[in-house]
Amino acid sequence: MPLLRTLESIRTPWLDTAMGFATRLGEEMILIVLFCALFWCISKRHAYVMGAVFFLSSLAVQGLKIVFRVPRPWVYDPSFTIVGEAYGAATGYAFPSGHTQNAAAWLGSLGAMIKKWWVRVVCFGLAGLVAFTRLYLGVHYLQDVLVSLAITFAIVWLAMKFIPAEATCMKREVAIAGVIILCAFAVIIVAAVLYHGGVSEARQIRDATRAAGAGIAFALGMFIERNYIKFEPRTKKWWMQPIKLIVGIAITVALQEGLRVMGSELVPDALRYFFMVFWIMGVYPVVIKKFFQPEEQAAREANA
């Protein structure tokens, strides 16, 4: 708390606004748009690394959150204040930091894959900035952000080492998908025990069950696409790329919002994230292959 108290004492309206803007680099929608653009239009290899890093680190962080159940700083000390706008996005428990993990996942992945020193400096610097904003805004402790950074950067290294550019070995593909799915089910089991045992409320474990549903969808979609769909992210007609992205993002957002009709309980909410991510990974690639690149795909299959 001493560090948070120090940061609380130096807050100004201008800094509050700047930190609130910077912390958005760790928000969900930023990652969704970037991942979709990378996956559908630029590089599947890079997208798979980024996705694997994000979902594995998310499952690890959300799993630790519900295992340790560390209260937020203002819950621990009611006299402590936070920057007002940060309250709405500070869901669940404190340790480790989900926003820090989100930012470190996509920025760390880009920094590792783009082998230019200045890109790495910018990416890692921005990830560190997001971690700092969580302290400044008063929603996390120092250990929350440090552990998130350590976990996510470790998974970046593992993903770069063990995820090949294309599917070359079925055993490896099954193993990669299997690890993510097993981690997701482990989180589901812990969340179910805590919820039904009355230890945690739904609002405290919702992020964990969402991560589990999305992680399972990513693993299944990655396995199916890499081994059976095999679409090409690039097209010869450049103008088709923005159309492809806009259509895909629009349907993704429509699914994210429209599937709320299933209900707000934990299981329907987890299914909502499952369907949204499976659309991104396993359904829209089929649409892309059929409607956005028939000539390119036919040429590739003829040369296979």
Side-chain angles (χ1 to χ4, degrees):
M1 288 301 293
L3 174 60
L4 298 188
R5 286 292 187 187
T6 300
L7 293 174
E8 181 186 28
S9 69
I10 65 170
R11 290 177 191 159
T12 66
W14 183 87
L15 275 176
D16 291 354
T17 301
M19 293 297 175
F21 178 79
T23 206
R24 295 183 183 277
L25 292 173
E27 291 188 353
E28 178 183 278
M29 188 50 64
I30 294 288
L31 184 62
I32 289 174
V33 172
L34 286 171
F35 177 80
C36 289
L38 190 61
F39 183 51
W40 295 334
C41 302
I42 301 173
S43 169
K44 290 195 298 183
R45 155 64 173 163
H46 290 173
Y48 281 128
V49 170
M50 180 186 290
V53 169
F54 171 74
F55 287 107
L56 280 172
S57 60
S58 180
L59 289 167
V61 165
Q62 295 301 329
L64 289 173
K65 275 181 179 285
I66 62 177
V67 167
F68 287 97
R69 301 187 296 282
V70 176
R72 295 280 182 171
W74 67 88
V75 177
Y76 174 78
D77 184 353
S79 67
F80 178 72
T81 61
I82 66 171
V83 176
E85 293 183 358
Y87 182 81
T91 56
Y93 297 107
F95 174 84
S97 167
H99 269 70
T100 301
Q101 170 261 317
N102 287 352
W106 74 266
L107 288 164
S109 299
L110 288 181
M113 292 183 290
I114 301 175
K115 303 185 183 301
K116 294 183 178 180
W117 68 268
W118 64 268
V119 173
R120 293 185 172 181
V121 169
V122 170
C123 287
F124 297 150
L126 287 175
L129 174 61
V130 172
F132 178 76
T133 66
R134 306 312 287 166
L135 302 175
Y136 176 89
L137 296 172
V139 293
H140 281 289
Y141 306 99
L142 180 61
Q143 64 266 27
D144 301 348
V145 300
L146 291 179
V147 169
S148 280
L149 289 173
I151 289 173
T152 308
F153 286 145
I155 294 175
V156 167
W157 180 83
L158 290 172
M160 290 293 295
K161 186 174 180 66
F162 292 107
I163 298 181
E166 295 182 355
T168 56
C169 174
M170 183 60 72
K171 288 184 178 179
R172 182 192 288 260
E173 296 297 304
V174 171
I176 294 170
V179 167
I180 298 173
I181 292 173
L182 284 175
C183 290
F185 274 106
V187 170
I188 290 172
I189 291 170
V190 175
V193 169
L194 294 176
Y195 179 66
H196 290 292
V199 177
S200 297
E201 299 176 6
R203 62 181 177 82
Q204 296 170 314
I205 60 175
R206 188 178 304 280
D207 288 343
T209 54
R210 285 176 175 176
I216 293 171
F218 173 79
L220 292 175
M222 178 174 67
F223 180 82
I224 292 170
E225 197 289 318
R226 282 168 67 89
N227 292 280
Y228 301 105
I229 301 174
K230 300 179 181 179
F231 81 103
E232 286 294 325
R234 297 183 181 273
T235 62
K236 291 182 179 179
K237 299 174 181 178
W238 67 266
W239 52 267
M240 296 186 74
Q241 293 289 62
I243 295 174
K244 176 172 63 175
L245 180 61
I246 291 169
V247 170
I249 291 293
I251 297 176
T252 301
V253 173
L255 285 172
Q256 185 184 36
E257 297 303 316
L259 290 176
R260 291 183 188 275
V261 299
M262 295 191 301
S264 58
E265 296 298 319
L266 291 175
V267 172
D269 205 38
L271 286 173
R272 178 166 68 95
Y273 273 74
F274 174 89
F275 290 132
M276 181 183 71
V277 174
F278 193 74
W279 154 260
I280 293 170
M281 300 298 304
V283 179
Y284 197 50
V286 177
V287 176
I288 292 172
K289 185 176 179 179
K290 184 173 179 62
F291 295 104
F292 287 94
Q293 51 181 204
E295 297 176 1
E296 293 85 345
Q297 199 66 40
R300 181 182 178 183
E301 291 174 355
N303 295 328

mmCIF file with all atom_site columns, all heavy atoms in Angstrom, residues 251-274:
data_model
loop_
_atom_site.group_PDB
_atom_site.id
_atom_site.type_symbol
_atom_site.label_atom_id
_atom_site.label_alt_id
_atom_site.label_comp_id
_atom_site.label_asym_id
_atom_site.label_entity_id
_atom_site.label_seq_id
_atom_site.pdbx_PDB_ins_code
_atom_site.Cartn_x
_atom_site.Cartn_y
_atom_site.Cartn_z
_atom_site.occupancy
_atom_site.B_iso_or_equiv
_atom_site.pdbx_formal_charge
_atom_site.auth_seq_id
_atom_site.auth_comp_id
_atom_site.auth_asym_id
_atom_site.auth_atom_id
_atom_site.pdbx_PDB_model_num
ATOM 1   N N   . ILE A 1 251 ? -19.465 -8.749  -37.503 1.00 0.00 ? 251 ILE A N   1
ATOM 2   C CA  . ILE A 1 251 ? -20.172 -9.954  -37.059 1.00 0.00 ? 251 ILE A CA  1
ATOM 3   C C   . ILE A 1 251 ? -19.662 -10.399 -35.690 1.00 0.00 ? 251 ILE A C   1
ATOM 4   O O   . ILE A 1 251 ? -20.436 -10.870 -34.846 1.00 0.00 ? 251 ILE A O   1
ATOM 5   C CB  . ILE A 1 251 ? -20.023 -11.075 -38.096 1.00 0.00 ? 251 ILE A CB  1
ATOM 6   C CG1 . ILE A 1 251 ? -20.682 -10.646 -39.415 1.00 0.00 ? 251 ILE A CG1 1
ATOM 7   C CG2 . ILE A 1 251 ? -20.647 -12.373 -37.588 1.00 0.00 ? 251 ILE A CG2 1
ATOM 8   C CD1 . ILE A 1 251 ? -20.510 -11.625 -40.544 1.00 0.00 ? 251 ILE A CD1 1
ATOM 9   N N   . THR A 1 252 ? -18.366 -10.227 -35.441 1.00 0.00 ? 252 THR A N   1
ATOM 10  C CA  . THR A 1 252 ? -17.809 -10.575 -34.135 1.00 0.00 ? 252 THR A CA  1
ATOM 11  C C   . THR A 1 252 ? -18.453 -9.757  -33.022 1.00 0.00 ? 252 THR A C   1
ATOM 12  O O   . THR A 1 252 ? -18.874 -10.292 -31.992 1.00 0.00 ? 252 THR A O   1
ATOM 13  C CB  . THR A 1 252 ? -16.284 -10.353 -34.119 1.00 0.00 ? 252 THR A CB  1
ATOM 14  O OG1 . THR A 1 252 ? -15.665 -11.155 -35.124 1.00 0.00 ? 252 THR A OG1 1
ATOM 15  C CG2 . THR A 1 252 ? -15.692 -10.713 -32.755 1.00 0.00 ? 252 THR A CG2 1
ATOM 16  N N   . VAL A 1 253 ? -18.541 -8.451  -33.235 1.00 0.00 ? 253 VAL A N   1
ATOM 17  C CA  . VAL A 1 253 ? -19.162 -7.578  -32.239 1.00 0.00 ? 253 VAL A CA  1
ATOM 18  C C   . VAL A 1 253 ? -20.644 -7.907  -32.088 1.00 0.00 ? 253 VAL A C   1
ATOM 19  O O   . VAL A 1 253 ? -21.189 -7.916  -30.979 1.00 0.00 ? 253 VAL A O   1
ATOM 20  C CB  . VAL A 1 253 ? -18.975 -6.094  -32.626 1.00 0.00 ? 253 VAL A CB  1
ATOM 21  C CG1 . VAL A 1 253 ? -19.756 -5.185  -31.686 1.00 0.00 ? 253 VAL A CG1 1
ATOM 22  C CG2 . VAL A 1 253 ? -17.493 -5.732  -32.603 1.00 0.00 ? 253 VAL A CG2 1
ATOM 23  N N   . ALA A 1 254 ? -21.305 -8.201  -33.222 1.00 0.00 ? 254 ALA A N   1
ATOM 24  C CA  . ALA A 1 254 ? -22.722 -8.568  -33.168 1.00 0.00 ? 254 ALA A CA  1
ATOM 25  C C   . ALA A 1 254 ? -22.926 -9.839  -32.340 1.00 0.00 ? 254 ALA A C   1
ATOM 26  O O   . ALA A 1 254 ? -23.883 -9.934  -31.556 1.00 0.00 ? 254 ALA A O   1
ATOM 27  C CB  . ALA A 1 254 ? -23.270 -8.756  -34.586 1.00 0.00 ? 254 ALA A CB  1
ATOM 28  N N   . LEU A 1 255 ? -22.031 -10.795 -32.507 1.00 0.00 ? 255 LEU A N   1
ATOM 29  C CA  . LEU A 1 255 ? -22.116 -12.020 -31.710 1.00 0.00 ? 255 LEU A CA  1
ATOM 30  C C   . LEU A 1 255 ? -21.874 -11.733 -30.234 1.00 0.00 ? 255 LEU A C   1
ATOM 31  O O   . LEU A 1 255 ? -22.590 -12.225 -29.357 1.00 0.00 ? 255 LEU A O   1
ATOM 32  C CB  . LEU A 1 255 ? -21.098 -13.042 -32.211 1.00 0.00 ? 255 LEU A CB  1
ATOM 33  C CG  . LEU A 1 255 ? -21.439 -13.766 -33.520 1.00 0.00 ? 255 LEU A CG  1
ATOM 34  C CD1 . LEU A 1 255 ? -20.244 -14.589 -33.975 1.00 0.00 ? 255 LEU A CD1 1
ATOM 35  C CD2 . LEU A 1 255 ? -22.649 -14.659 -33.330 1.00 0.00 ? 255 LEU A CD2 1
ATOM 36  N N   . GLN A 1 256 ? -20.842 -10.922 -29.962 1.00 0.00 ? 256 GLN A N   1
ATOM 37  C CA  . GLN A 1 256 ? -20.509 -10.610 -28.577 1.00 0.00 ? 256 GLN A CA  1
ATOM 38  C C   . GLN A 1 256 ? -21.690 -9.958  -27.857 1.00 0.00 ? 256 GLN A C   1
ATOM 39  O O   . GLN A 1 256 ? -21.982 -10.280 -26.710 1.00 0.00 ? 256 GLN A O   1
ATOM 40  C CB  . GLN A 1 256 ? -19.296 -9.689  -28.521 1.00 0.00 ? 256 GLN A CB  1
ATOM 41  C CG  . GLN A 1 256 ? -18.811 -9.401  -27.110 1.00 0.00 ? 256 GLN A CG  1
ATOM 42  C CD  . GLN A 1 256 ? -17.671 -8.408  -27.084 1.00 0.00 ? 256 GLN A CD  1
ATOM 43  O OE1 . GLN A 1 256 ? -17.642 -7.486  -27.890 1.00 0.00 ? 256 GLN A OE1 1
ATOM 44  N NE2 . GLN A 1 256 ? -16.739 -8.586  -26.179 1.00 0.00 ? 256 GLN A NE2 1
ATOM 45  N N   . GLU A 1 257 ? -22.364 -9.048  -28.536 1.00 0.00 ? 257 GLU A N   1
ATOM 46  C CA  . GLU A 1 257 ? -23.485 -8.349  -27.922 1.00 0.00 ? 257 GLU A CA  1
ATOM 47  C C   . GLU A 1 257 ? -24.797 -9.123  -28.058 1.00 0.00 ? 257 GLU A C   1
ATOM 48  O O   . GLU A 1 257 ? -25.576 -9.214  -27.114 1.00 0.00 ? 257 GLU A O   1
ATOM 49  C CB  . GLU A 1 257 ? -23.633 -6.957  -28.552 1.00 0.00 ? 257 GLU A CB  1
ATOM 50  C CG  . GLU A 1 257 ? -22.438 -6.051  -28.323 1.00 0.00 ? 257 GLU A CG  1
ATOM 51  C CD  . GLU A 1 257 ? -22.134 -5.863  -26.850 1.00 0.00 ? 257 GLU A CD  1
ATOM 52  O OE1 . GLU A 1 257 ? -23.076 -5.654  -26.059 1.00 0.00 ? 257 GLU A OE1 1
ATOM 53  O OE2 . GLU A 1 257 ? -20.941 -5.921  -26.476 1.00 0.00 ? 257 GLU A OE2 1
ATOM 54  N N   . GLY A 1 258 ? -25.022 -9.690  -29.231 1.00 0.00 ? 258 GLY A N   1
ATOM 55  C CA  . GLY A 1 258 ? -26.284 -10.379 -29.479 1.00 0.00 ? 258 GLY A CA  1
ATOM 56  C C   . GLY A 1 258 ? -26.476 -11.629 -28.645 1.00 0.00 ? 258 GLY A C   1
ATOM 57  O O   . GLY A 1 258 ? -27.606 -11.949 -28.240 1.00 0.00 ? 258 GLY A O   1
ATOM 58  N N   . LEU A 1 259 ? -25.387 -12.337 -28.363 1.00 0.00 ? 259 LEU A N   1
ATOM 59  C CA  . LEU A 1 259 ? -25.504 -13.577 -27.599 1.00 0.00 ? 259 LEU A CA  1
ATOM 60  C C   . LEU A 1 259 ? -25.768 -13.336 -26.113 1.00 0.00 ? 259 LEU A C   1
ATOM 61  O O   . LEU A 1 259 ? -25.915 -14.291 -25.346 1.00 0.00 ? 259 LEU A O   1
ATOM 62  C CB  . LEU A 1 259 ? -24.239 -14.432 -27.773 1.00 0.00 ? 259 LEU A CB  1
ATOM 63  C CG  . LEU A 1 259 ? -24.058 -15.043 -29.165 1.00 0.00 ? 259 LEU A CG  1
ATOM 64  C CD1 . LEU A 1 259 ? -22.735 -15.788 -29.266 1.00 0.00 ? 259 LEU A CD1 1
ATOM 65  C CD2 . LEU A 1 259 ? -25.216 -15.991 -29.494 1.00 0.00 ? 259 LEU A CD2 1
ATOM 66  N N   . ARG A 1 260 ? -25.840 -12.070 -25.720 1.00 0.00 ? 260 ARG A N   1
ATOM 67  C CA  . ARG A 1 260 ? -26.226 -11.774 -24.338 1.00 0.00 ? 260 ARG A CA  1
ATOM 68  C C   . ARG A 1 260 ? -27.648 -12.259 -24.045 1.00 0.00 ? 260 ARG A C   1
ATOM 69  O O   . ARG A 1 260 ? -28.018 -12.401 -22.879 1.00 0.00 ? 260 ARG A O   1
ATOM 70  C CB  . ARG A 1 260 ? -26.135 -10.266 -24.073 1.00 0.00 ? 260 ARG A CB  1
ATOM 71  C CG  . ARG A 1 260 ? -24.714 -9.720  -24.063 1.00 0.00 ? 260 ARG A CG  1
ATOM 72  C CD  . ARG A 1 260 ? -24.699 -8.237  -23.724 1.00 0.00 ? 260 ARG A CD  1
ATOM 73  N NE  . ARG A 1 260 ? -23.386 -7.644  -23.888 1.00 0.00 ? 260 ARG A NE  1
ATOM 74  C CZ  . ARG A 1 260 ? -22.426 -7.671  -22.955 1.00 0.00 ? 260 ARG A CZ  1
ATOM 75  N NH1 . ARG A 1 260 ? -22.660 -8.250  -21.786 1.00 0.00 ? 260 ARG A NH1 1
ATOM 76  N NH2 . ARG A 1 260 ? -21.255 -7.108  -23.190 1.00 0.00 ? 260 ARG A NH2 1
ATOM 77  N N   . VAL A 1 261 ? -28.418 -12.510 -25.100 1.00 0.00 ? 261 VAL A N   1
ATOM 78  C CA  . VAL A 1 261 ? -29.784 -12.993 -24.897 1.00 0.00 ? 261 VAL A CA  1
ATOM 79  C C   . VAL A 1 261 ? -29.799 -14.364 -24.227 1.00 0.00 ? 261 VAL A C   1
ATOM 80  O O   . VAL A 1 261 ? -30.831 -14.785 -23.690 1.00 0.00 ? 261 VAL A O   1
ATOM 81  C CB  . VAL A 1 261 ? -30.556 -13.058 -26.230 1.00 0.00 ? 261 VAL A CB  1
ATOM 82  C CG1 . VAL A 1 261 ? -30.662 -11.689 -26.866 1.00 0.00 ? 261 VAL A CG1 1
ATOM 83  C CG2 . VAL A 1 261 ? -29.889 -14.034 -27.205 1.00 0.00 ? 261 VAL A CG2 1
ATOM 84  N N   . MET A 1 262 ? -28.662 -15.075 -24.272 1.00 0.00 ? 262 MET A N   1
ATOM 85  C CA  . MET A 1 262 ? -28.591 -16.382 -23.621 1.00 0.00 ? 262 MET A CA  1
ATOM 86  C C   . MET A 1 262 ? -28.649 -16.257 -22.103 1.00 0.00 ? 262 MET A C   1
ATOM 87  O O   . MET A 1 262 ? -28.911 -17.230 -21.401 1.00 0.00 ? 262 MET A O   1
ATOM 88  C CB  . MET A 1 262 ? -27.309 -17.118 -24.032 1.00 0.00 ? 262 MET A CB  1
ATOM 89  C CG  . MET A 1 262 ? -27.248 -17.481 -25.493 1.00 0.00 ? 262 MET A CG  1
ATOM 90  S SD  . MET A 1 262 ? -25.889 -18.632 -25.878 1.00 0.00 ? 262 MET A SD  1
ATOM 91  C CE  . MET A 1 262 ? -24.472 -17.691 -25.326 1.00 0.00 ? 262 MET A CE  1
ATOM 92  N N   . GLY A 1 263 ? -28.365 -15.049 -21.596 1.00 0.00 ? 263 GLY A N   1
ATOM 93  C CA  . GLY A 1 263 ? -28.399 -14.841 -20.156 1.00 0.00 ? 263 GLY A CA  1
ATOM 94  C C   . GLY A 1 263 ? -27.066 -14.363 -19.626 1.00 0.00 ? 263 GLY A C   1
ATOM 95  O O   . GLY A 1 263 ? -26.043 -14.407 -20.323 1.00 0.00 ? 263 GLY A O   1
ATOM 96  N N   . SER A 1 264 ? -27.074 -13.929 -18.388 1.00 0.00 ? 264 SER A N   1
ATOM 97  C CA  . SER A 1 264 ? -25.868 -13.384 -17.776 1.00 0.00 ? 264 SER A CA  1
ATOM 98  C C   . SER A 1 264 ? -25.259 -14.319 -16.732 1.00 0.00 ? 264 SER A C   1
ATOM 99  O O   . SER A 1 264 ? -24.299 -13.948 -16.061 1.00 0.00 ? 264 SER A O   1
ATOM 100 C CB  . SER A 1 264 ? -26.184 -12.038 -17.108 1.00 0.00 ? 264 SER A CB  1
ATOM 101 O OG  . SER A 1 264 ? -27.206 -12.205 -16.126 1.00 0.00 ? 264 SER A OG  1
ATOM 102 N N   . GLU A 1 265 ? -25.808 -15.521 -16.606 1.00 0.00 ? 265 GLU A N   1
ATOM 103 C CA  . GLU A 1 265 ? -25.217 -16.486 -15.682 1.00 0.00 ? 265 GLU A CA  1
ATOM 104 C C   . GLU A 1 265 ? -23.872 -16.964 -16.213 1.00 0.00 ? 265 GLU A C   1
ATOM 105 O O   . GLU A 1 265 ? -23.518 -16.725 -17.373 1.00 0.00 ? 265 GLU A O   1
ATOM 106 C CB  . GLU A 1 265 ? -26.170 -17.671 -15.478 1.00 0.00 ? 265 GLU A CB  1
ATOM 107 C CG  . GLU A 1 265 ? -27.490 -17.296 -14.818 1.00 0.00 ? 265 GLU A CG  1
ATOM 108 C CD  . GLU A 1 265 ? -27.293 -16.742 -13.418 1.00 0.00 ? 265 GLU A CD  1
ATOM 109 O OE1 . GLU A 1 265 ? -26.448 -17.290 -12.686 1.00 0.00 ? 265 GLU A OE1 1
ATOM 110 O OE2 . GLU A 1 265 ? -27.964 -15.759 -13.070 1.00 0.00 ? 265 GLU A OE2 1
ATOM 111 N N   . LEU A 1 266 ? -23.117 -17.657 -15.379 1.00 0.00 ? 266 LEU A N   1
ATOM 112 C CA  . LEU A 1 266 ? -21.747 -18.018 -15.739 1.00 0.00 ? 266 LEU A CA  1
ATOM 113 C C   . LEU A 1 266 ? -21.664 -18.911 -16.971 1.00 0.00 ? 266 LEU A C   1
ATOM 114 O O   . LEU A 1 266 ? -20.840 -18.665 -17.863 1.00 0.00 ? 266 LEU A O   1
ATOM 115 C CB  . LEU A 1 266 ? -21.075 -18.709 -14.550 1.00 0.00 ? 266 LEU A CB  1
ATOM 116 C CG  . LEU A 1 266 ? -20.790 -17.823 -13.335 1.00 0.00 ? 266 LEU A CG  1
ATOM 117 C CD1 . LEU A 1 266 ? -20.228 -18.653 -12.195 1.00 0.00 ? 266 LEU A CD1 1
ATOM 118 C CD2 . LEU A 1 266 ? -19.823 -16.701 -13.699 1.00 0.00 ? 266 LEU A CD2 1
ATOM 119 N N   . VAL A 1 267 ? -22.485 -19.935 -17.050 1.00 0.00 ? 267 VAL A N   1
ATOM 120 C CA  . VAL A 1 267 ? -22.399 -20.863 -18.185 1.00 0.00 ? 267 VAL A CA  1
ATOM 121 C C   . VAL A 1 267 ? -22.794 -20.189 -19.499 1.00 0.00 ? 267 VAL A C   1
ATOM 122 O O   . VAL A 1 267 ? -22.036 -20.274 -20.483 1.00 0.00 ? 267 VAL A O   1
ATOM 123 C CB  . VAL A 1 267 ? -23.253 -22.125 -17.930 1.00 0.00 ? 267 VAL A CB  1
ATOM 124 C CG1 . VAL A 1 267 ? -23.308 -22.995 -19.189 1.00 0.00 ? 267 VAL A CG1 1
ATOM 125 C CG2 . VAL A 1 267 ? -22.674 -22.930 -16.763 1.00 0.00 ? 267 VAL A CG2 1
ATOM 126 N N   . PRO A 1 268 ? -23.940 -19.496 -19.590 1.00 0.00 ? 268 PRO A N   1
ATOM 127 C CA  . PRO A 1 268 ? -24.260 -18.796 -20.837 1.00 0.00 ? 268 PRO A CA  1
ATOM 128 C C   . PRO A 1 268 ? -23.207 -17.759 -21.228 1.00 0.00 ? 268 PRO A C   1
ATOM 129 O O   . PRO A 1 268 ? -22.912 -17.578 -22.417 1.00 0.00 ? 268 PRO A O   1
ATOM 130 C CB  . PRO A 1 268 ? -25.614 -18.123 -20.534 1.00 0.00 ? 268 PRO A CB  1
ATOM 131 C CG  . PRO A 1 268 ? -26.205 -18.940 -19.450 1.00 0.00 ? 268 PRO A CG  1
ATOM 132 C CD  . PRO A 1 268 ? -25.052 -19.392 -18.620 1.00 0.00 ? 268 PRO A CD  1
ATOM 133 N N   . ASP A 1 269 ? -22.641 -17.089 -20.228 1.00 0.00 ? 269 ASP A N   1
ATOM 134 C CA  . ASP A 1 269 ? -21.631 -16.077 -20.515 1.00 0.00 ? 269 ASP A CA  1
ATOM 135 C C   . ASP A 1 269 ? -20.366 -16.711 -21.080 1.00 0.00 ? 269 ASP A C   1
ATOM 136 O O   . ASP A 1 269 ? -19.753 -16.191 -22.014 1.00 0.00 ? 269 ASP A O   1
ATOM 137 C CB  . ASP A 1 269 ? -21.310 -15.292 -19.240 1.00 0.00 ? 269 ASP A CB  1
ATOM 138 C CG  . ASP A 1 269 ? -20.764 -13.901 -19.539 1.00 0.00 ? 269 ASP A CG  1
ATOM 139 O OD1 . ASP A 1 269 ? -21.259 -13.266 -20.494 1.00 0.00 ? 269 ASP A OD1 1
ATOM 140 O OD2 . ASP A 1 269 ? -19.857 -13.461 -18.827 1.00 0.00 ? 269 ASP A OD2 1
ATOM 141 N N   . ALA A 1 270 ? -19.980 -17.850 -20.521 1.00 0.00 ? 270 ALA A N   1
ATOM 142 C CA  . ALA A 1 270 ? -18.811 -18.565 -21.040 1.00 0.00 ? 270 ALA A CA  1
ATOM 143 C C   . ALA A 1 270 ? -19.082 -19.070 -22.450 1.00 0.00 ? 270 ALA A C   1
ATOM 144 O O   . ALA A 1 270 ? -18.200 -19.023 -23.321 1.00 0.00 ? 270 ALA A O   1
ATOM 145 C CB  . ALA A 1 270 ? -18.456 -19.724 -20.113 1.00 0.00 ? 270 ALA A CB  1
ATOM 146 N N   . LEU A 1 271 ? -20.302 -19.548 -22.704 1.00 0.00 ? 271 LEU A N   1
ATOM 147 C CA  . LEU A 1 271 ? -20.661 -20.016 -24.044 1.00 0.00 ? 271 LEU A CA  1
ATOM 148 C C   . LEU A 1 271 ? -20.647 -18.864 -25.048 1.00 0.00 ? 271 LEU A C   1
ATOM 149 O O   . LEU A 1 271 ? -20.273 -19.046 -26.212 1.00 0.00 ? 271 LEU A O   1
ATOM 150 C CB  . LEU A 1 271 ? -22.039 -20.672 -24.019 1.00 0.00 ? 271 LEU A CB  1
ATOM 151 C CG  . LEU A 1 271 ? -22.106 -22.053 -23.371 1.00 0.00 ? 271 LEU A CG  1
ATOM 152 C CD1 . LEU A 1 271 ? -23.556 -22.521 -23.268 1.00 0.00 ? 271 LEU A CD1 1
ATOM 153 C CD2 . LEU A 1 271 ? -21.275 -23.065 -24.150 1.00 0.00 ? 271 LEU A CD2 1
ATOM 154 N N   . ARG A 1 272 ? -21.049 -17.684 -24.599 1.00 0.00 ? 272 ARG A N   1
ATOM 155 C CA  . ARG A 1 272 ? -21.019 -16.507 -25.478 1.00 0.00 ? 272 ARG A CA  1
ATOM 156 C C   . ARG A 1 272 ? -19.603 -16.252 -25.976 1.00 0.00 ? 272 ARG A C   1
ATOM 157 O O   . ARG A 1 272 ? -19.386 -15.994 -27.171 1.00 0.00 ? 272 ARG A O   1
ATOM 158 C CB  . ARG A 1 272 ? -21.548 -15.294 -24.723 1.00 0.00 ? 272 ARG A CB  1
ATOM 159 C CG  . ARG A 1 272 ? -21.527 -14.000 -25.512 1.00 0.00 ? 272 ARG A CG  1
ATOM 160 C CD  . ARG A 1 272 ? -22.382 -12.950 -24.826 1.00 0.00 ? 272 ARG A CD  1
ATOM 161 N NE  . ARG A 1 272 ? -21.810 -12.520 -23.554 1.00 0.00 ? 272 ARG A NE  1
ATOM 162 C CZ  . ARG A 1 272 ? -21.034 -11.449 -23.396 1.00 0.00 ? 272 ARG A CZ  1
ATOM 163 N NH1 . ARG A 1 272 ? -20.723 -10.707 -24.457 1.00 0.00 ? 272 ARG A NH1 1
ATOM 164 N NH2 . ARG A 1 272 ? -20.579 -11.102 -22.222 1.00 0.00 ? 272 ARG A NH2 1
ATOM 165 N N   . TYR A 1 273 ? -18.630 -16.344 -25.086 1.00 0.00 ? 273 TYR A N   1
ATOM 166 C CA  . TYR A 1 273 ? -17.236 -16.129 -25.484 1.00 0.00 ? 273 TYR A CA  1
ATOM 167 C C   . TYR A 1 273 ? -16.719 -17.290 -26.325 1.00 0.00 ? 273 TYR A C   1
ATOM 168 O O   . TYR A 1 273 ? -15.900 -17.094 -27.229 1.00 0.00 ? 273 TYR A O   1
ATOM 169 C CB  . TYR A 1 273 ? -16.370 -15.908 -24.247 1.00 0.00 ? 273 TYR A CB  1
ATOM 170 C CG  . TYR A 1 273 ? -16.339 -14.462 -23.835 1.00 0.00 ? 273 TYR A CG  1
ATOM 171 C CD1 . TYR A 1 273 ? -17.452 -13.874 -23.216 1.00 0.00 ? 273 TYR A CD1 1
ATOM 172 C CD2 . TYR A 1 273 ? -15.254 -13.651 -24.097 1.00 0.00 ? 273 TYR A CD2 1
ATOM 173 C CE1 . TYR A 1 273 ? -17.456 -12.531 -22.862 1.00 0.00 ? 273 TYR A CE1 1
ATOM 174 C CE2 . TYR A 1 273 ? -15.241 -12.306 -23.751 1.00 0.00 ? 273 TYR A CE2 1
ATOM 175 C CZ  . TYR A 1 273 ? -16.350 -11.766 -23.140 1.00 0.00 ? 273 TYR A CZ  1
ATOM 176 O OH  . TYR A 1 273 ? -16.351 -10.432 -22.807 1.00 0.00 ? 273 TYR A OH  1
ATOM 177 N N   . PHE A 1 274 ? -17.208 -18.496 -26.041 1.00 0.00 ? 274 PHE A N   1
ATOM 178 C CA  . PHE A 1 274 ? -16.822 -19.644 -26.860 1.00 0.00 ? 274 PHE A CA  1
ATOM 179 C C   . PHE A 1 274 ? -17.267 -19.434 -28.304 1.00 0.00 ? 274 PHE A C   1
ATOM 180 O O   . PHE A 1 274 ? -16.476 -19.594 -29.242 1.00 0.00 ? 274 PHE A O   1
ATOM 181 C CB  . PHE A 1 274 ? -17.442 -20.927 -26.312 1.00 0.00 ? 274 PHE A CB  1
ATOM 182 C CG  . PHE A 1 274 ? -17.213 -22.130 -27.189 1.00 0.00 ? 274 PHE A CG  1
ATOM 183 C CD1 . PHE A 1 274 ? -16.089 -22.914 -27.031 1.00 0.00 ? 274 PHE A CD1 1
ATOM 184 C CD2 . PHE A 1 274 ? -18.119 -22.460 -28.194 1.00 0.00 ? 274 PHE A CD2 1
ATOM 185 C CE1 . PHE A 1 274 ? -15.863 -24.018 -27.858 1.00 0.00 ? 274 PHE A CE1 1
ATOM 186 C CE2 . PHE A 1 274 ? -17.903 -23.555 -29.026 1.00 0.00 ? 274 PHE A CE2 1
ATOM 187 C CZ  . PHE A 1 274 ? -16.775 -24.331 -28.852 1.00 0.00 ? 274 PHE A CZ  1
#
